[in-house]
Amino acid sequence: MRPLILKMSISLDGFVAGPNGEIDWVFRSSDEGSRAWVEETLWQAGVHAMGSRSYFDMARFWPTANHPMAAAMNEIPKVVFTRQKSLDLDAGRTAAAVQDAKAQEAAAETPAQLASRKSWAEAEVAHGDLVAAVHRLKQQPGKFILAHGGASFAQSLAAAGLIDEYRLVVHPVVLGKGQPLFSQVAKPMDLELRSTTVFRSGVVAHVYRPAKQA
C-alpha cells in the first residue's frame, strides 16, 4: 500500500495554528531553503489530502497564486475529507470569495489559471468513516498521499494511527496557545527520527516514522 505522509508546520511549543487558526507565523519565519524543502515534498506526492476547511481556503488561493509552490498544489490531484454525508465543493465560500471569483471572471484569466481552478473543482470527496476512507486511498496505485491539514483533520489522522510518516517543519516561534497536533492521541506514541534538516532561518525539518513494535 502507498503510505500517508503528514506535512505540517509546527511551532516550537507544539502548535500547528494559533487559537483562531492563524498561520501567519509560518510565512514570517520561513526562508528560501525551508520553502524549497516543502516544495520538493509537494512534487513527490501522488495526491494531496486535506480537510474541507483547508480545501476551501486553498481552492481560493492557489489557482491564481504567484508562488513557487503553486504549480505543485494546482497540478497534483486532491482529495477532500469531510464528516458530512456529501460536500458541495462550491459551497462554503464566503461573500468575499464570491466577490473574488466575480472579479477574476471579469479579468482575463490565463489558460493555466483556468486549468488550475478546474483541478480544484474536480477534487475527489471522501466522506464517512475516516479509517476506511484512508485505507481505500492507500490501496490505490501511485505515489504517496500527502496530508496537509487543517489542524482537526491532522489530529484525527494522528489519533487513528493512520500516518506512516511525519514531516514536521518546526519554526522558531512560540505561540503560547493554539491548536496542538497530538491532542487526540490516546496513548504514548514512539517515533523514529529518520532525518533532520536545519535551515538558515532556524527552521528545522524533522522526518519521523512510527516505531516498529517489538
Side-chain angles (χ1 to χ4, degrees), residues 4 19 24 59 69 78 86 116 139 157 160 170 173 187:
L4 185 149
D24 56 298
M69 299 180 194
K78 271 72 69 176
S86 62
S116 296
Q139 289 168 0
L157 292 174
V170 182
V173 175
K187 60 182 181 180

Side-chain angles (χ1 to χ4, degrees), residues 28-97:
R28 185 175 69 246
S29 58
S30 63
D31 61 26
E32 184 178 350
S34 63
R35 290 190 292 270
W37 188 92
V38 171
E39 183 181 357
E40 182 180 0
T41 291
L42 297 179
W43 279 119
Q44 291 170 353
V47 62
H48 294 311
M50 63 201 73
S52 58
R53 183 175 298 180
S54 292
Y55 167 82
F56 288 122
D57 289 342
M58 291 184 180
R60 180 186 174 190
F61 174 76
W62 286 114
T64 57
N66 182 20
H67 192 286
M69 299 180 194
M73 292 303 303
N74 289 325
E75 294 176 19
I76 295 172
K78 271 72 69 176
V79 178
V80 187
F81 284 78
T82 177
R83 294 186 179 93
Q84 304 174 36
K85 292 182 178 180
S86 62
L87 180 67
D88 181 358
L89 297 185
D90 290 327
R93 292 197 289 175
T94 64

Side-chain angles (χ1 to χ4, degrees), residues 130-191:
L130 176 65
V131 174
V134 169
H135 280 312
R136 284 196 299 270
L137 197 59
K138 285 185 175 185
Q139 289 168 0
Q140 295 175 4
K143 296 187 290 185
F144 67 73
I145 307 156
L146 184 63
H148 294 268
S152 61
F153 177 55
Q155 289 167 355
S156 297
L157 292 174
L162 294 169
I163 299 170
D164 301 294
E165 183 173 287
Y166 292 85
R167 297 190 182 184
L168 301 181
V169 184
V170 182
H171 292 251
V173 175
V174 175
L175 298 180
K177 56 183 177 180
Q179 301 177 26
L181 174 56
F182 297 107
S183 60
Q184 295 183 25
V185 174
K187 60 182 181 180
M189 177 174 56
D190 294 331
L191 301 175

